Amino acid sequence: MNIIDADITKNAAGAELHVTAYSPTLGWREVALSKVEYIVPPQDGLQEFVLGGTPPSGSALTSIMTYSLTAPMPAADWVRGARIKNPAGKTLLVLGTLVKGKDPIGQDWVAIENAGIKGDKLILEVKYGGGCQRHSFQLAWDGSVIKTEPPQLQLSLTHNGNGDPCKALLAEQLQFDLSLLIDAPADYVLRVNSGITEVIAHTPTN
């Protein structure tokens, strides 16, 4: 199973995670999002979900099948987003929120390979070292606007590897809700700096 898109929306009962996923073949059954239950909430504030299903037995016709899935988000103060994995434990997508005026959560290296803006989300393709611990990422904005044409907003991506001793090179997609930029100019450029790399993301032109 793979993810096409994910979003978190608010409703009268709280918030829901919406995921659009696809399988490369026909015949998948019981495709669902399963919420991980915690005794102690994760430090990064990301509620984990497992995207899974029962694959077809034997040979299956190759055809893209899409699935629209919904799961409730916990109504708790610690929740800052969602992490979606497959049954083997591989992270498929991280969906977090931009924070304002926060201190860095760590100083572990992370390289930003690519950046883009899709709707109200900033999508970052990153690489970092690890493989034995759960890693945390934070995207922060200090609230300032550089008055160029178009205006520029400087964002910082920080990374905490939680003391991970492993050295595997990992690739991950991070998505961040940009709703905190509601007071930003209509057209702007995001400069995202990780301390290792800096990338530029433009707002889509109409």
Side-chain angles (χ1 to χ4, degrees), residues 43-44 83 105 134-138 158-162:
Q43 292 184 345
D44 60 7
R83 182 189 301 269
I105 61 168
R134 176 166 172 159
H135 290 236
S136 303
F137 300 90
Q138 176 182 275
T158 53
H159 168 216
N160 185 346
N162 295 305

Side-chain angles (χ1 to χ4, degrees), residues 85 128 130-136 160-166 170:
K85 291 188 172 185
Y128 58 94
C132 298
Q133 297 288 344
R134 176 166 172 159
H135 290 236
S136 303
N160 185 346
N162 295 305
D164 194 338
C166 295
L170 305 176

Side-chain angles (χ1 to χ4, degrees), residues 29-204:
R29 298 178 290 107
E30 300 174 341
V31 176
L33 281 172
S34 301
K35 184 172 68 175
V36 175
E37 300 294 340
Y38 300 104
I39 297 176
V40 178
Q43 292 184 345
D44 60 7
L46 297 180
Q47 171 63 54
E48 199 162 284
F49 293 85
V50 177
L51 171 63
T54 303
S57 57
S59 59
L61 186 64
T62 300
S63 180
I64 299 296
M65 291 291 297
T66 60
Y67 306 86
S68 294
L69 308 167
T70 302
M73 293 289 294
D77 292 339
W78 61 264
V79 179
R80 288 178 47 203
R83 182 189 301 269
I84 305 168
K85 291 188 172 185
N86 66 15
K90 178 183 177 181
T91 298
L92 300 176
L93 187 144
V94 174
L95 179 58
T97 56
L98 174 70
V99 298
K100 190 173 180 180
K102 293 285 188 180
D103 292 331
I105 61 168
Q107 296 182 336
D108 293 315
W109 78 269
V110 54
I112 307 172
E113 300 283 297
N114 196 20
I117 298 174
K118 180 181 179 183
D120 61 353
K121 292 197 288 291
L122 173 67
I123 301 173
L124 301 177
E125 303 285 348
V126 303
K127 288 186 177 180
Y128 58 94
C132 298
Q133 297 288 344
R134 176 166 172 159
H135 290 236
S136 303
F137 300 90
Q138 176 182 275
L139 184 70
W141 175 44
D142 65 5
S144 64
V145 178
I146 303 173
K147 295 182 179 180
T148 55
E149 186 56 46
Q152 300 180 51
L153 285 67
Q154 183 75 55
L155 309 182
S156 61
L157 179 71
T158 53
H159 168 216
N160 185 346
N162 295 305
D164 194 338
C166 295
K167 304 298 182 182
L169 184 61
L170 305 176
E172 199 160 316
Q173 182 184 105
L174 311 177
Q175 296 191 14
F176 294 95
D177 182 349
L178 297 175
S179 60
L180 271 182
L181 298 179
I182 190 170
D183 296 328
D187 296 313
Y188 56 82
V189 171
L190 298 181
R191 304 183 70 95
V192 189
N193 194 310
S194 72
I196 299 294
T197 53
E198 183 178 66
V199 295
I200 296 176
H202 295 262
T203 51

